[in-house]
Every structure is written in C-alpha cells, then in structure tokens.
Amino acid sequence: MTPTEPPREHAIDALRGFALLGILLVNAGSFASTYFGLGVVDPAFSRPVDHAVRWFVALVFETKFYLLFSLLFGYSFALQMDSAQRAGSAFVPRMLRRLAGLLLLGLAHAWLLFAGDILVTYALLGLLLLPMRRLRPGTAAALAVALLALVSLGWGLLAWLMSLAPPMDWPLAEVHAKAQQAAAAYRAGPLEAIAQRGRDMADGVWFVIVFVQGPCALAMFLLGLAAHRSGYLARAAGEPARLRRWMRCCLPIGAAGALLYATVQTSLVRQSDHVSAAVLAVDLATAPFLTLGYVAALLWVLQHSRHGRALAAWLEPAGRMALSNYLMQSLVGALVFTAYGLALVGRVPPLAVLLGCVALYAAQLALSRRWMARHAYGPVEWLLRAFTLLRRPAWRRGLRPAE
C-alpha cells in the first residue's frame, strides 16, 4: 500500500470470504446431481437424511449468497473507481479491460468446469453498470429496490396467469430420462462432459440468468455501489445498535420467505407450476432481506464480538482471493463429479457432499491464509489485475510492481 492509498476495507474481504461458503454449498448440489433444479427428487437419494440436507441448503444458502457476492461486486466497482481516480487514469477503459478479462475467464469456466458460471453474467451486467456509475446513492438504491420489486411482481403475475390455465401433465418419465442422460454424459469422458455443459447452458441456465439471477444481481450491484459512495456501510459497521436494528428488521422477513421456499422447493410431492412460480416470487422478494441480515450479523460479529478478530483473520485472506477460490471450487467439483477425475455425479449422498464442502472450505481458508501471507494477490486476481492495468503487478507482498 502506498502512502496515498486508503486502508484496505477488511470487513469487505471477510464478507467475500464468508460468501464463498454459500456459493460452494449451492454449486456443489448442481455438480453432485443432475436432478438439481428439475423439481424432482433424485430417486437414488430419497431418505429422510437426504431430504433434510437438501432442505437445509435451500433454507440457508440458495438464492441468498449470489446476492451477497453481487452486493460486494457493486461495492468493489466503486472501489475501482476510487483507485482509478487516485492513479490519475481513465476509469472506463480500465474497467472495460477488467470486464473483458472477467468475461474470458467466465467463458472458459462455463465450458470447461461449470455450466452455472456467474462470471459471464457479472461481466455483461458490469457493462450496464458503467453508464449508471454516476447515479446518486439514493437514486441507485431506489432503482435497485424497484428492479427487485419488478422481478418479484413479474413472477407473481406469471403465477396468477398460470393458475388460470388448465393443468398440464408433468412429463415425469422425460425428466428422469434427461437427468440420467446428463449423468451418463458427465461420466463418459472429458469431451462428453464439455458437450453436456453446453446442453445445460442452452437448456435452462440462460433462462435462470435472464429472468432471475441477472436482474437481481444488477439490483445488488446498485445497492453495493450506493453503499460505498454514500459511506453508509462503513458507518454502519462501526455502530452495533444500527447493525442490531438491521438484523431485527431483515432476518425475520428473509427467514420466513426462505422457510417457504425451502419447504416447497424440496417437497417430496411435486407442486403445480403456478405454486412453484408463486413461491419463487415470494423468495425473490424476501431473499435480499436475508442477505442484508447476513451482512449485518457478520459485521456485528467481526467488529463487536469477542471472537471477531480471530474469525476475520481466517475469512479475510479467502475473500482477498475470492476469484481464485471460486474457480478452485469448480475445479475440485469437476474432478470429483465428472469424467475429468472420479466421475461420481449421482453417486454421492447429500450429507457426504455437505461434509465434503465443509472440508474443502476449511482447506481453502487455510491455503488462502498461507498464500496471502506471502503474496500481494491471489493467482487469478494477479492475472486479471495485470490484464486490467496493462502492467505486471507485484507478486510478493511488499514488492513494488514492475513499471
């Protein structure tokens, strides 16, 4: 850090490190079972313990942690603006290079490792955020709320229209055949696995991104941008009473929506399409509350509890190299569950997947702490920074970058 740079915002790094756990647990469900997201229980794992694990992950993690990552992306976008201004360089060309680098990484990630990639979405949404970067914080926050409300109301309207239509027979046999064919492709060989990722992206992933994740992620970008430019998050982090108010307000609302979502999403009895759409509408309206409640709760623990400093010492390094850790999670998932390695898709029960994720996350915390003690950036962060700045950044801690 040079004398003109502000202190690093360690709480943001810790939040990003915490978000990695939720992203891992949700993505692991998609790696482990080709029934994930199809609305049908995997017949190989239908025991009460399997159902309980799926319910727990849906309740606590699904649809919440990509929102947290999105909030932090918007916050970091504002930090990049400040960095460019301090360096006296033009922000837009610099950010365009960063987004292009993120896009290339995302395309490789989606095709080679994980069809549910979020990096391509972030890169494209970042282009939309660029012309909105000068919005006043209040305007950005209002636009974010309006966007979240519009998505939720849209799904609510769709649910109502679907309820008016005559019920349709659920092609259960086709769903089972589709899941089994996908599992066979992921086990067959590396080329077959890559081809199956392409089919997954064409057969539903794009729909979720365009009509669910994309608009909600953009809304959280705007909230993150507003939180930094207004200084609100930094002020709130230092005020335990305000954090407790946020927790009392957000956690009950978010938890109620999450409970409904998890109960219906993991039900052993398939719900009608209009009920599923209505529940999704409720979840889209309430998940941001739970995400903000998580933020307030973690900030309170980090800043105002006895064990906050020790927890931060583990979370911050992982958050500083979050992109490297995100890609590492997908690499491990591909090696374990596809023909790149063990080809265990559809063969590992949910509880074992959950425990494996906890073990991998603990390993990432330890590896990140060791890496960041010696290096200025994570390995992928270093590459992205070099591409963004068009120069070689420092590799080791304490070294000046090459000019």
Side-chain angles (χ1 to χ4, degrees):
M1 186 178 71
T2 66
T4 59
E5 290 179 333
R8 189 173 183 95
E9 299 195 32
H10 299 288
I12 300 302
D13 292 326
L15 284 169
R16 199 177 287 111
F18 172 64
L20 283 167
L21 174 61
I23 296 296
L24 172 60
L25 286 169
V26 175
N27 289 352
S30 181
F31 271 111
S33 175
T34 51
Y35 281 88
F36 185 86
L38 294 183
V40 177
V41 175
D42 187 339
F45 304 109
S46 56
R47 298 173 303 166
V49 65
D50 301 324
H51 175 72
V53 171
R54 284 191 291 260
W55 180 86
F56 170 73
V57 173
L59 175 74
V60 180
F61 300 102
E62 281 185 24
T63 74
K64 292 87 178 174
F65 277 73
Y66 86 91
L67 295 178
L68 176 53
F69 248 134
S70 301
L71 178 77
L72 297 173
F73 183 95
Y75 199 95
S76 297
F77 185 96
L79 291 175
Q80 291 283 329
M81 292 176 62
D82 293 347
S83 177
Q85 184 177 17
R86 287 194 305 271
S89 61
F91 171 70
V92 171
R94 178 168 162 167
M95 180 52 67
L96 286 174
R97 290 193 297 272
R98 185 175 184 84
L99 294 176
L102 203 61
L103 178 64
L104 293 174
L105 285 171
L107 289 171
H109 177 235
W111 280 102
L112 299 177
L113 296 178
F114 182 51
D117 166 79
I118 197 68
L119 301 180
V120 171
T121 302
Y122 279 14
L124 297 177
L125 291 178
L127 295 176
L128 297 179
L129 190 61
L130 269 175
M132 296 187 280
R133 67 189 185 280
R134 301 294 185 190
L135 288 177
R136 296 187 180 201
T139 303
L143 183 58
V145 171
L147 188 55
L148 290 169
L150 183 63
V151 176
S152 178
L153 289 173
W155 277 96
L157 176 61
L158 178 62
W160 176 70
L161 293 174
M162 293 169 71
S163 71
L164 301 178
M168 299 177 61
D169 291 334
W170 177 246
L172 188 59
E174 293 181 20
V175 172
H176 282 293
K178 176 182 176 181
Q180 291 162 8
Q181 289 167 4
Y186 278 123
R187 295 177 192 140
L191 293 180
E192 290 85 349
I194 291 172
Q196 182 59 43
R197 286 190 199 94
R199 288 191 288 271
D200 287 343
M201 286 185 280
D203 192 28
V205 171
W206 71 268
F207 182 87
V208 173
I209 290 173
V210 172
F211 294 104
V212 180
Q213 283 191 344
C216 294
L218 180 58
M220 299 305 285
F221 283 7
L222 289 166
L223 283 180
L225 183 72
H228 174 73
R229 297 196 65 194
S230 66
Y232 183 87
L233 188 60
R235 292 195 303 272
E239 300 176 13
R242 185 181 296 192
L243 293 175
R244 287 194 293 268
R245 286 197 299 272
W246 272 101
M247 285 187 275
R248 287 194 297 267
C249 171
C250 294
L251 290 176
I253 298 172
L259 181 61
L260 176 64
Y261 170 83
T263 301
V264 173
Q265 185 76 6
T266 64
S267 174
L268 297 177
V269 178
R270 185 187 175 274
Q271 304 298 317
S272 60
D273 290 339
H274 74 273
V275 171
S276 297
V279 169
L280 179 59
V282 173
D283 181 67
L284 291 172
T286 57
F289 284 93
L290 194 52
T291 298
L292 294 175
Y294 286 163
V295 170
L298 186 59
L299 287 176
W300 186 88
V301 170
L302 291 173
Q303 307 272 22
H304 308 290
S305 75
R306 215 172 29 160
H307 304 294
R309 182 170 295 181
L311 179 61
W314 286 101
L315 292 178
E316 286 174 22
R320 290 179 63 188
M321 52 183 293
L323 180 56
S324 296
N325 280 317
Y326 170 68
L327 296 175
M328 183 193 300
Q329 290 172 358
S330 293
L331 177 61
V332 172
L335 289 174
V336 171
F337 293 108
T338 77
Y340 287 179
L342 301 177
L344 293 179
V345 62
R347 294 170 175 164
V348 183
L351 181 58
V353 174
L354 175 64
L355 295 176
C357 287
V358 173
L360 174 58
Y361 181 68
Q364 286 191 304
L365 293 183
L367 288 171
S368 298
R369 192 172 185 180
R370 184 181 180 91
W371 179 275
M372 294 309 302
R374 296 170 172 80
H375 298 84
Y377 308 99
V380 183
E381 285 78 5
W382 186 91
L383 288 172
L384 184 59
R385 186 173 178 84
F387 188 80
T388 300
L389 301 180
L390 299 180
R391 61 174 173 81
R392 185 178 183 275
W395 178 249
R396 294 282 185 176
R397 287 177 62 86
L399 297 179
R400 293 174 59 88
E403 298 297 337

